[in-house]
Amino acid sequence: MKSQDPAVRDAPLAVNELSLRLQVIVMSGHETIRVLEVEVDASLPSSVQEGKSSEGKTEEAGARPEAGKQQAASVEAPSDAVQSLSPILPISVSLPQPPAATVPVTVQACPQVLSQENLATLMTGMLAQTGSLGQPLLIPISMAGSIGGQGGLAVLTLPTTNVATLSGLAAAAATQPANLLKLPFAGLQAATVLNSVQPPLQTSTQAVFQPPAGSIQPVQTALQQPCMAGLAINPINAASLGAQTQFLSSLTSSPIITNAMSNMAGITSQILTTTQGQVIGTLPLLVNPASLAGGAATSTLPLQGLQVQTVTPQLLLNTQGQIFAAVGNGAAAVAASAAVLPKPAVTPTPSKPTTQAPATAATQLPVVIAPQPSILKSTTSPSSSLPITCGDIAKVGQLTHQPASSEEGINLEEIREFAKNFKIRRLSLGLTQTQVGQALTATEGPAYSQSAICRFEKLDITPKSAQKLKPVLEKWLAEAEHWNQKGQQNLMEFVGGEPSKKRKRRTSFTPQAIEVLNSYFEKNSLPTGQEITEIAKELNYDREVVRVWFCNRRQTLKNTSKINIFQVQ
Amino acid sequence: MKSQDPAVRDAPLAVNELSLRLQVIVMSGHETIRVLEVEVDASLPSSVQEGKSSEGKTEEAGARPEAGKQQAASVEAPSDAVQSLSPILPISVSLPQPPAATVPVTVQACPQVLSQENLATLMTGMLAQTGSLGQPLLIPISMAGSIGGQGGLAVLTLPTTNVATLSGLAAAAATQPANLLKLPFAGLQAATVLNSVQPPLQTSTQAVFQPPAGSIQPVQTALQQPCMAGLAINPINAASLGAQTQFLSSLTSSPIITNAMSNMAGITSQILTTTQGQVIGTLPLLVNPASLAGGAATSTLPLQGLQVQTVTPQLLLNTQGQIFAAVGNGAAAVAASAAVLPKPAVTPTPSKPTTQAPATAATQLPVVIAPQPSILKSTTSPSSSLPITCGDIAKVGQLTHQPASSEEGINLEEIREFAKNFKIRRLSLGLTQTQVGQALTATEGPAYSQSAICRFEKLDITPKSAQKLKPVLEKWLAEAEHWNQKGQQNLMEFVGGEPSKKRKRRTSFTPQAIEVLNSYFEKNSLPTGQEITEIAKELNYDREVVRVWFCNRRQTLKNTSKINIFQVQ
DNA sequence: AGCATAAATAATAA
DNA sequence: TTATTATTTATGCT
């Protein structure tokens, strides 16, 4: 990692690129919800188009809240070197409207210098949300933005949080007319030299949501308005420090997002242009408010946030470099809202490239911006980051976990940062979770599957587990980066590893074996050690494996029997 | 407990009551989402009003599935004594429209006589569902209703799962005047004698859901219509027998349930009458097909069947006796199935006595009616119940297990009854599972968490566990009731308990501690008592815990080493 | 993204 | 000390 920075910094950047095309991927959990492509013009507002949207799956009811976990989405964008880009670009993010809920959106600008092969994308927040009957779900949208100077990458993450929490925000937002998120990015001059270590210029632009004319307010004046209050980002050679500046601002949007969307015309998107023509602009998500059945749709809904990531020019060049926006939203909430949409307004504007999807708009809900702990460190090492977080926790402060980081002796904050960093670094190396998982499985033994990596990055694991995983990942990643310096080839060789250890690989019994085991079980659910040994021999499985099988089988029987036994008819 | 029954039975019942006010509590998980108050008129359709709604909490994203747990919701409605009520009342329930999803609703009429201090409500089904962005969530709504004669209490349970889903409902409900589910109850004659032992009459009605003509249809004609088709309930002295007839039919509704509802007229319901006056009619649920965002709503939705159970009057009288309607559905399964239905044909036909399987006609899904052990005994004592269960298992037969009652010397039937009774009594005391759990944790030690209570009530535990839990709960409950008699204050005081005991809570070692322990283990796997004490002190863990750790560690080593010894790999 | 269940491991019982 | 159980984790699939 270390070496990367310098390189990047030194890399000459082409400035004054005019247009950049960004692909914004909005994710919900692991699903890609939508891909937008944004054309950005350095000086002009860009238009946003929706690329494609893939639907999320719906899930289950468990309704079991279980608090406290965060999810991060990971992206696997292969990267290619990006050459020069304009340093700072104005970006506008339009907020889609959540139909039924407000989605917290976090916008983060990550000033990261990506290595040549990089294209990094980040995901940040997640949130689950729930709505209650009585009220429309409010999914607060929060934006946290950090922007870095130099060939930084701007990442806009729109993590959503719990709806509940946010509700307050939403409400507030609703009231406010000018809802909008203005991103500070706008106004950044291309002039800013990429390489220079000079501090980044900052200009703030506005990302405004305009409410649709109709129902609710009004106006596209937003564009007019310069900035929200103030997200000004001063990019500074964060790269050198490995620090990032974060900026957060939360805004509230007017309630009806939908409307806003429909009035797409009014929406401005900000663009980033890179030499490579990479721009990431956030677009508003389109959510269709679901029309309620039978009723006048009175409900308002949520909406979602996008994440826009600005990548440093270098990054932009990457063939692979994709920018993602991750939108976290509670599935349910989102879905709910989506379902409803009555009339989608699509606001696509000019789009260029590939896919696009229409925009659907209309939402009533509040847009909340939640502050986020978004510091991206370039290095894993602690400290060094300059979290010039402009944390402001918007209305819904709850979301943020600024929580004290440690719990049970585990530095959660540290883990969070590492997880975030890990992803960035992994992506920088152009490695997929699968590759990492396979390599680690080889060197560290099972328990490092792709799933595990995914879960770690999303922090969809317990702190304890994360704590255990962290050093392993850290070490491995450092090695991988080391080899990478010696060339891609070396990296790839490194990735194709060795032995394994640790947790025993989960055994997969053949159907036949299970049949045999079951027949033995029926005869005797508690075989003696001798019997176990024989059975193991017969089936050619490890004795311990067979022993455990019986243990688990007994357990399962007990668990299931409970059900059958009581279930009366 | 014992004494209650008789008392109840003998209790004079007021018949022909004209109005009944029901409190409907919709829960999602453990949260009360909304409380509706329904006014019922014996002869006329009742109107439903929304009482109050409490919002659910939102939760978190944990997203950790953790398979296999079920949730039960409990309601904490304080109760008041309800005196006489008309035996059978028409009840109309309005279904809120789920905006984006269909919500399974279970409506149950419980003819229960509540003790003075009671007002019980129950929760039954649960289901979880999730919606994805692209698609609207489909939450099947099912209704099960049981109605009882005498001063019964009608309990409408709307188990909902995710709150998100419900939002729609609420909204819908609020807005729509007409939509509603009219329960078949209408038309029941008060005339039916409650107490009589005469065999139940049966009539079958049809519950048909008509799909709305248009995509959305309209109308509030629903109200106009008196009743759905026809659930006639003939209460009969089922009580004496303790038998219930269940009827299930599933219907599919057109996509827009709302509409469907509006076209209530067309819907037919089937009715079953029993001597005992048990009738179970299934109703079609109204589901709103969520309109897909941006699209014409093409989807149809699922629907659900209702179950109506009629309870005999006597039962109703039990102070403790509560009638439950449980809607069993595999959460997922139900939901899924529901989602599918194109156009349901309902084919109910008349059924005769006891068991019947309702006709569910066209459903693709399984509407499952879970058989229930619905005999409520007033006493905890075993036997005496006459489960004239008319179990018919609709499509989804899997659910029912009609298990023999005893196993391993454990009287399952007894436990089932107790579990049911426990819930009723708990609710009568106005206590939540959480309160009970906390109180027990205090007095009995861990192992009596809210979850444990929930599982016990749901009998989602092994018979063995239930057997162990039963006496504890029984004793505790008796005490609680004792204190309650002396006033709520006393009860609440009682609930705020003492010490704890029981199984030691599983220790969770920190990674650091494990590291230390392992290092000691490597040096000496069999430390002396002195050493153990020192290690325990150093790590600040209980000495016993450390000792056990070494025991287990040695064991583990042995087990694993055996493997190597015997097997390959 | 969930589920079914293999594996790991704390607590107990014998 | 050994055998089991009770819980918790998390893997392998789909």
Side-chain angles (χ1 to χ4, degrees):
Chain A
M1 286 294 279
K2 297 72 177 292
S3 61
Q4 294 182 280
D5 280 334
V8 174
R9 292 183 205 135
D10 301 341
L13 300 177
V15 180
N16 304 322
E17 284 293 324
L18 296 179
S19 66
L20 175 69
R21 185 184 302 166
L22 296 180
Q23 209 175 33
V24 178
I25 299 175
V26 177
M27 305 184 68
S28 174
H30 294 285
E31 302 181 66
T32 297
I33 296 176
R34 159 165 289 163
V35 177
L36 302 176
E37 292 206 354
V38 181
E39 292 267 316
V40 182
D41 179 293
S43 59
L44 303 174
S46 59
S47 56
V48 177
Q49 299 181 339
E50 287 187 23
K52 63 181 178 184
S53 61
S54 57
E55 306 228 320
K57 303 173 185 176
T58 294
E59 248 343 344
E60 202 261 332
R64 176 184 306 188
E66 286 217 23
K69 300 190 179 171
Q70 303 175 325
Q71 300 185 347
S74 58
V75 175
E76 334 277 65
S79 56
D80 272 315
V82 174
Q83 300 319 351
S84 53
L85 298 172
S86 57
I88 299 173
L89 305 173
I91 298 172
S92 63
V93 176
S94 55
L95 295 180
Q97 295 114 356
T102 30
V103 177
V105 176
T106 303
V107 177
Q108 198 171 42
C110 293
Q112 290 257 317
V113 177
L114 296 180
S115 59
Q116 301 170 342
E117 351 6 65
N118 294 310
L119 172 66
T121 65
L122 289 179
M123 232 313 284
T124 56
M126 259 293 315
L127 78 140
Q129 64 165 342
T130 325
S132 60
L133 267 186
Q135 285 197 330
L137 298 177
L138 300 182
I139 302 175
I141 293 175
S142 58
M143 301 185 86
S146 64
I147 198 172
Q150 302 190 347
L153 166 62
V155 177
L156 298 182
T157 330
L158 303 184
T160 51
T161 356
N162 281 333
V163 178
T165 3
L166 297 179
S167 60
L169 293 178
T175 53
Q176 298 197 347
N179 40 256
L180 19 74
L181 291 179
K182 296 193 174 188
L183 295 181
F185 302 114
L188 295 179
Q189 284 75 3
T192 306
V193 177
L194 298 174
N195 301 320
S196 61
V197 179
Q198 22 179 311
L201 294 181
Q202 292 182 337
T203 38
S204 59
T205 45
Q206 313 166 338
V208 175
F209 256 69
Q210 293 195 338
S215 55
I216 306 179
Q217 312 187 352
V219 199
Q220 307 180 338
T221 56
L223 288 175
Q224 275 41 335
Q225 303 184 349
C227 242
M228 290 296 291
L231 295 183
I233 297 175
N234 293 311
I236 299 179
N237 42 12
S240 59
L241 297 177
Q244 291 183 330
T245 303
Q246 289 188 337
F247 182 98
L248 296 176
S249 68
S250 57
L251 301 175
T252 50
S253 57
S254 60
I256 297 175
I257 294 172
T258 305
N259 296 322
M261 293 310 274
S262 48
N263 295 323
M264 292 295 275
I267 297 170
T268 329
S269 56
Q270 298 193 344
I271 306 168
L272 293 179
T273 317
T274 50
T275 305
Q276 302 288 320
Q278 298 302 325
V279 174
I280 296 172
T282 37
L283 297 182
L285 289 183
L286 306 177
V287 176
N288 291 311
S291 48
L292 295 180
T298 49
S299 62
T300 343
L301 298 182
L303 66 77
Q304 307 175 333
L306 294 181
Q307 289 190 341
V308 178
Q309 299 184 337
T310 310
V311 177
T312 41
Q314 288 81 2
L315 295 178
L316 296 175
L317 288 175
N318 284 324
T319 305
Q320 315 258 329
Q322 300 300 327
I323 292 175
F324 290 154
V327 174
N329 53 36
V334 175
S337 60
V340 187
L341 308 184
K343 170 191 189 173
V346 174
T347 44
T349 27
S351 46
K352 289 284 183 77
T354 52
T355 58
Q356 307 218 302
T360 37
T363 1
Q364 299 181 350
L365 299 176
V367 171
V368 176
I369 294 178
Q372 275 222 329
S374 41
I375 297 171
L376 298 178
K377 291 183 167 192
S378 42
T379 57
T380 307
S381 57
S383 72
S384 83
S385 59
L386 299 182
I388 299 177
T389 48
C390 314
D392 57 295
I393 299 169
K395 296 73 193 301
V396 182
Q398 308 77 13
L399 278 190
T400 36
H401 311 279
Q402 312 175 323
S405 355
S406 65
E407 180 174 312
E408 306 175 16
I410 297 178
N411 187 324
L412 300 179
E413 193 53 47
E414 185 179 321
I415 291 177
R416 276 186 210 113
E417 287 187 23
F418 176 72
K420 201 181 293 181
N421 225 281
F422 178 82
K423 185 169 191 171
I424 295 169
R425 294 164 67 190
R426 174 179 61 76
L427 291 168
S428 294
L429 291 171
L431 299 174
T432 62
Q433 290 177 335
T434 300
Q435 287 175 304
V436 174
Q438 292 179 334
L440 283 168
T441 294
T443 63
E444 308 295 320
Y448 295 98
S449 63
Q450 169 275 318
S451 299
I453 303 304
C454 173
R455 288 168 184 149
F456 179 81
E457 290 184 349
K458 291 174 60 182
L459 288 178
D460 187 15
I461 50 179
T462 60
K464 194 177 172 186
S465 299
Q467 189 73 320
K468 280 191 284 185
L469 225 47
K470 183 172 174 291
V472 176
L473 298 180
E474 199 156 22
K475 178 191 166 206
W476 185 86
L477 189 59
E479 279 196 65
E481 289 171 337
H482 171 73
W483 290 107
N484 185 51
Q485 292 195 306
K486 299 185 178 178
Q488 268 260 296
Q489 285 311 96
N490 295 294
L491 173 63
M492 296 331 270
E493 283 175 28
F494 172 70
V495 174
E498 314 107 63
S500 72
K501 46 186 176 180
K502 268 219 168 177
R503 187 183 180 114
K504 186 182 182 304
R505 185 187 302 279
R506 183 189 172 104
T507 301
S508 192
F509 294 99
T510 63
Q512 295 73 45
I514 290 177
E515 217 173 297
V516 175
L517 287 167
N518 273 128
S519 66
Y520 276 112
F521 187 85
E522 280 179 43
K523 289 183 287 190
N524 180 15
S525 65
L526 192 67
T528 63
Q530 181 63 64
E531 294 173 307
I532 291 174
T533 301
E534 290 171 16
I535 295 171
K537 186 173 295 181
E538 176 187 336
L539 298 175
N540 195 220
Y541 275 109
D542 200 80
R543 194 200 112 102
E544 179 63 5
V545 168
V546 173
R547 187 186 67 75
V548 171
W549 184 88
F550 274 90
C551 288
N552 286 317
R553 188 67 184 71
R554 283 192 294 273
Q555 209 63 49
T556 299
L557 177 61
K558 187 182 294 177
N559 290 332
T560 59
S561 65
K562 42 177 166 190
I563 301 175
N564 298 325
I565 293 171
F566 290 103
Q567 206 79 258
V568 176
Q569 129 124 217
Chain B
M1 290 290 277
K2 296 72 180 289
S3 61
Q4 295 182 277
D5 279 335
V8 176
R9 290 184 204 132
D10 300 343
L13 300 176
V15 179
N16 302 323
E17 284 292 325
L18 297 179
S19 65
L20 177 71
R21 184 182 303 165
L22 298 179
Q23 209 175 37
V24 178
I25 299 175
V26 176
M27 303 186 72
S28 176
H30 293 286
E31 303 181 65
T32 296
I33 297 176
R34 157 164 289 162
V35 177
L36 300 175
E37 293 206 355
V38 180
E39 292 266 318
V40 182
D41 179 293
S43 57
L44 303 175
S46 59
S47 58
V48 176
Q49 302 178 336
E50 287 187 23
K52 64 182 179 182
S53 60
S54 56
E55 304 231 318
K57 304 170 183 178
T58 297
E59 242 349 339
E60 211 280 315
R64 170 183 311 182
E66 287 220 12
K69 302 191 179 175
Q70 300 175 326
Q71 301 184 343
S74 55
V75 175
E76 338 278 76
S79 54
D80 275 315
V82 174
Q83 302 313 355
S84 53
L85 298 173
S86 54
I88 299 175
L89 306 173
I91 298 172
S92 64
V93 176
S94 56
L95 295 179
Q97 296 119 0
T102 30
V103 176
V105 177
T106 304
V107 177
Q108 196 171 46
C110 293
Q112 290 255 311
V113 177
L114 297 180
S115 56
Q116 302 171 341
E117 33 303 283
N118 292 314
L119 171 67
T121 64
L122 287 183
M123 237 310 287
T124 56
M126 260 297 308
L127 77 140
Q129 67 166 343
T130 323
S132 57
L133 267 184
Q135 283 197 335
L137 299 178
L138 299 182
I139 300 174
I141 296 172
S142 58
M143 301 183 86
S146 63
I147 198 172
Q150 301 189 349
L153 166 60
V155 177
L156 298 181
T157 330
L158 303 183
T160 48
T161 1
N162 283 330
V163 177
T165 2
L166 295 179
S167 58
L169 291 180
T175 53
Q176 295 203 343
N179 42 259
L180 14 86
L181 290 180
K182 296 194 173 187
L183 295 184
F185 302 114
L188 295 180
Q189 288 75 1
T192 307
V193 176
L194 298 174
N195 300 321
S196 65
V197 179
Q198 18 180 310
L201 296 181
Q202 289 183 337
T203 39
S204 58
T205 45
Q206 306 171 341
V208 176
F209 257 68
Q210 293 195 338
S215 60
I216 301 181
Q217 306 193 344
V219 198
Q220 308 182 338
T221 56
L223 288 176
Q224 273 42 334
Q225 299 183 353
C227 229
M228 293 293 290
L231 295 185
I233 296 175
N234 291 312
I236 298 180
N237 42 12
S240 59
L241 297 176
Q244 293 182 329
T245 305
Q246 287 190 337
F247 181 98
L248 296 177
S249 67
S250 56
L251 301 177
T252 49
S253 57
S254 58
I256 297 175
I257 294 173
T258 305
N259 293 317
M261 289 313 275
S262 48
N263 294 324
M264 293 292 274
I267 297 170
T268 329
S269 58
Q270 297 190 345
I271 305 167
L272 293 179
T273 316
T274 49
T275 304
Q276 300 290 318
Q278 298 301 324
V279 174
I280 297 171
T282 38
L283 297 181
L285 286 185
L286 306 177
V287 175
N288 289 315
S291 50
L292 296 181
T298 50
S299 65
T300 336
L301 296 183
L303 64 77
Q304 309 177 333
L306 294 181
Q307 292 186 340
V308 176
Q309 299 183 338
T310 309
V311 177
T312 45
Q314 287 84 358
L315 294 176
L316 297 175
L317 290 175
N318 283 324
T319 302
Q320 314 259 331
Q322 298 301 328
I323 292 176
F324 291 153
V327 172
N329 50 37
V334 174
S337 60
V340 185
L341 307 184
K343 176 191 194 171
V346 174
T347 49
T349 31
S351 49
K352 290 277 178 84
T354 50
T355 55
Q356 308 164 327
T360 26
T363 357
Q364 301 179 343
L365 298 183
V367 168
V368 174
I369 293 178
Q372 274 222 332
S374 39
I375 296 172
L376 298 180
K377 290 184 165 191
S378 42
T379 57
T380 307
S381 59
S383 72
S384 85
S385 61
L386 299 182
I388 298 178
T389 50
C390 310
D392 60 293
I393 300 166
K395 288 84 192 286
V396 182
Q398 306 79 11
L399 280 187
T400 50
H401 306 285
Q402 308 180 321
S405 352
S406 66
E407 180 174 310
E408 307 173 15
I410 298 177
N411 186 323
L412 299 179
E413 192 53 47
E414 183 179 322
I415 292 176
R416 275 184 213 118
E417 289 187 19
F418 176 71
K420 200 181 295 180
N421 224 279
F422 177 81
K423 185 169 190 171
I424 295 169
R425 293 165 66 190
R426 174 179 60 76
L427 291 168
S428 295
L429 291 172
L431 299 175
T432 62
Q433 290 177 333
T434 300
Q435 288 175 305
V436 174
Q438 293 178 333
L440 282 168
T441 293
T443 63
E444 309 295 319
Y448 292 100
S449 62
Q450 170 274 318
S451 300
I453 303 303
C454 173
R455 289 174 186 139
F456 180 82
E457 291 184 349
K458 291 176 63 180
L459 288 177
D460 187 17
I461 49 178
T462 61
K464 193 177 172 185
S465 299
Q467 189 74 317
K468 279 191 286 185
L469 225 46
K470 183 172 173 289
V472 176
L473 298 180
E474 200 155 20
K475 179 191 165 205
W476 185 85
L477 189 59
E479 278 195 66
E481 289 173 333
H482 171 70
W483 290 107
N484 185 51
Q485 291 196 303
K486 297 185 180 178
Q488 269 259 295
Q489 286 310 93
N490 295 296
L491 173 63
M492 297 329 272
E493 284 176 28
F494 173 70
V495 172
E498 316 106 63
S500 71
K501 48 187 176 180
K502 263 220 167 173
R503 184 179 178 121
K504 185 182 182 303
R505 187 187 300 278
R506 182 186 173 108
T507 301
S508 192
F509 294 100
T510 63
Q512 295 73 43
I514 290 177
E515 218 173 297
V516 175
L517 287 168
N518 272 130
S519 66
Y520 277 112
F521 187 85
E522 279 178 44
K523 289 183 287 189
N524 179 13
S525 66
L526 204 128
T528 62
Q530 181 64 64
E531 294 173 308
I532 291 176
T533 301
E534 290 171 15
I535 295 172
K537 186 173 295 181
E538 175 187 338
L539 297 175
N540 195 220
Y541 276 108
D542 199 80
R543 196 200 111 103
E544 178 63 5
V545 168
V546 174
R547 190 187 65 76
V548 172
W549 184 88
F550 274 91
C551 288
N552 286 317
R553 188 68 184 70
R554 283 192 295 273
Q555 197 153 27
T556 297
L557 178 62
K558 186 183 298 176
N559 288 332
T560 58
S561 62
K562 271 183 195 170
I563 298 178
N564 298 326
I565 294 171
F566 291 89
Q567 311 255 341
V568 182
Q569 152 120 326

